[in-house]
Amino acid sequence: MEDGAKNSAVRRIDALVRAGYKVEPCTVEALNFVHPAHREFKHARLMMLDDGLIVGGLIDDKHELRILAADEEKFSAFLRSIPRPTSWQIHRDKFYFVVAWTIGIGFWSVIVIMWKAAIDK
């Protein structure tokens, strides 16, 4: 990949992250992005291939998003269409994690208390 293409790819990655996308673990050939507005935004999942091509949408979606590396105009228009994630959408996964741990700790606390009560009889 040429230096100009690398700079363009880095600028696109930076722009997508600033727009609210998060980079997911992925394959060597591509970067996967996910937007916190999963259900509310059609292109919540994107894939950026190593040649700079950005692909979005479902596999069976006929209106799949395809933005070539050289198409800066289409990429800029896409960036303007991305909704800003709300505070809830950004922190939703952390909230679910805390709730799950709280339920788990509560469950095991009840089990231990019942077990100790059964031993003390």
Side-chain angles (χ1 to χ4, degrees):
M1 189 183 288
E2 296 177 16
D3 288 338
K6 284 181 185 177
N7 289 338
S8 176
V10 171
R11 278 196 311 273
R12 284 183 171 202
I13 292 168
D14 182 54
L16 289 171
V17 169
R18 287 177 186 264
Y21 281 93
K22 294 181 183 177
V23 179
E24 286 189 324
C26 57
T27 64
V28 176
E29 299 86 26
L31 280 176
N32 291 332
F33 295 92
V34 65
H35 194 274
H38 294 285
R39 295 163 195 89
E40 298 87 13
F41 183 46
K42 179 179 179 180
H43 299 296
R45 295 193 171 279
L46 296 177
M47 184 170 41
M48 183 175 182
L49 303 174
D50 59 356
D51 63 352
L53 173 69
I54 295 176
V55 180
L58 303 173
I59 294 172
D60 59 347
D61 189 5
K62 296 203 187 318
H63 303 289
E64 181 180 80
L65 175 71
R66 297 181 66 80
I67 302 175
L68 299 174
D71 197 351
E72 289 297 324
E73 208 171 292
K74 189 172 180 180
F75 181 70
S76 296
F78 173 70
L79 283 178
R80 288 189 298 274
S81 74
I82 299 172
R84 274 283 188 233
T86 63
S87 179
W88 164 248
Q89 291 169 337
I90 293 171
H91 301 293
R92 172 176 37 205
D93 294 337
K94 294 173 190 155
F95 173 76
Y96 291 151
F97 180 79
V98 169
V99 168
W101 267 97
T102 304
I103 290 170
I105 289 170
F107 174 77
W108 286 108
S109 298
V110 168
I111 297 294
V112 168
I113 290 170
M114 290 173 58
W115 178 64
K116 289 215 179 232
I119 289 176
D120 291 340
K121 281 188 177 181

